[in-house]
Amino acid sequence: MELKTIAHIRSDFPEKFGIPRQSGLVSSLKARIVFCPEYRNSEALRGLEQYTHLWLIWQFSEAVREEWSPTVRPPRLGGNKRMGVFATRSPFRPNPIGLSCVKLEEIMHDSKDGDVLIVSGADLMDNTPIYDIKPYLPYVDCQPEASNGFALSSKEGVLEVQMSDELLCKIPSEKQQALLDTLAQDPRPQYQNEPDRVYTMSFGGFDVSFNVREKTLVVKDIVPLK
């Protein structure tokens, strides 16, 4: 079977570091889904506006490997304990396929790109290839009684973010809340806890430097990407 790339996402994350660990964790994050020229057909989107959420099927384009391992080291477990690959959402899989649920904010017509989907809550790196889009159906897709396994809940591990107004003003106003919410999710690898270490995350055309002490993340600097 040959999978065809139907679209690419345009997000504020040019690299993996800093991307929310799961879709829906940062609802303030906005992204655009731009269809490839051969799939820019308004008829293919007929009725899509009736849905509030979508499933995205996409490729872990930075994790493509010829070989695979039956076990991986989930960051949630400190990076030291191995779990079966099918018990995790690791990008290193027999087939590098990702699945994300996003909120459909708007279907917008662009003079250059045709019909574009504006979505929120995505956990995809900029320019990630998308294979398919399907509507989310809450009466079958939502399972409130499901267990989290070893994964933390969305409320665990949230940090307090401290940033001066001077630094925050460097970020366009429409992206400020998304940056704050992303930082609150603690972008660091789960097994790293070095209070004096300064991390740098690229977001929306800027490098954001910060460190974390206990439950507080302090932004040190924000500079435009070179």
Side-chain angles (χ1 to χ4, degrees):
M1 181 179 69
E2 178 185 357
L3 291 177
K4 296 181 173 63
T5 298
I6 65 165
H8 292 84
I9 199 162
R10 306 302 305 182
S11 76
D12 285 314
F13 296 99
E15 55 189 32
K16 179 182 176 182
F17 183 68
I19 297 176
R21 294 178 181 89
Q22 304 292 341
S23 59
L25 283 179
V26 183
S27 59
S28 53
L29 276 174
K30 299 290 181 65
R32 293 161 50 98
I33 295 176
V34 179
F35 289 90
C36 298
E38 60 268 39
Y39 297 102
R40 290 177 190 169
N41 188 323
S42 298
E43 289 297 294
L45 303 179
R46 184 191 296 183
L48 194 66
E49 73 284 351
Q50 299 176 31
Y51 299 94
T52 60
H53 292 74
L54 307 172
W55 288 112
L56 305 181
I57 301 172
W58 47 279
Q59 182 193 48
F60 285 107
S61 52
E62 298 300 307
V64 177
R65 296 179 174 181
E66 291 187 5
E67 299 180 353
W68 72 286
S69 171
T71 61
V72 294
R73 301 177 187 267
R76 286 291 188 190
L77 299 178
N80 297 315
K81 184 176 180 180
R82 285 193 171 274
M83 299 292 287
V85 65
F86 301 128
T88 76
R89 295 195 175 188
S90 168
F92 304 110
R93 321 187 67 78
N95 293 299
I97 294 175
L99 178 69
S100 297
C101 181
V102 299
K103 183 178 181 182
L104 176 61
E105 299 285 349
E106 180 185 1
I107 301 176
M108 182 187 72
H109 186 79
D110 183 275
S111 58
K112 175 185 176 183
D113 296 323
D115 288 337
V116 173
L117 306 184
I118 309 300
V119 299
S120 60
D123 57 341
L124 283 70
M125 190 171 65
D126 185 51
N127 211 37
T128 292
I130 295 175
Y131 291 140
D132 203 0
I133 298 169
K134 298 177 183 292
Y136 174 94
L137 303 178
Y139 76 97
V140 288
D141 291 341
C142 181
Q143 303 292 337
E145 73 281 6
S147 67
N148 286 328
F150 61 82
L152 297 178
S153 74
S154 61
K155 300 296 183 183
E156 295 179 89
V158 177
L159 303 176
E160 175 190 355
V161 178
Q162 294 182 359
M163 186 188 323
S164 68
D165 292 339
E166 179 182 1
L167 289 178
L168 184 59
C169 285
K170 293 184 177 182
I171 302 294
S173 59
E174 69 275 11
K175 296 181 183 292
Q176 291 177 3
Q177 191 60 52
L179 173 60
L180 292 170
D181 292 345
T182 298
L183 292 172
Q185 289 293 326
D186 194 351
R188 300 174 301 166
Q190 290 293 296
Y191 51 83
Q192 291 185 4
N193 187 22
E194 304 172 47
D196 295 323
R197 179 172 178 175
V198 175
Y199 300 84
T200 300
M201 177 185 84
S202 296
F203 174 86
F206 296 85
D207 273 341
V208 181
S209 300
F210 63 90
N211 70 351
V212 179
R213 290 183 177 273
E214 296 183 354
K215 293 294 184 179
T216 302
L217 182 150
V218 180
V219 177
K220 299 293 187 180
D221 200 8
I222 297 179
V223 297
L225 283 171
K226 296 180 181 179

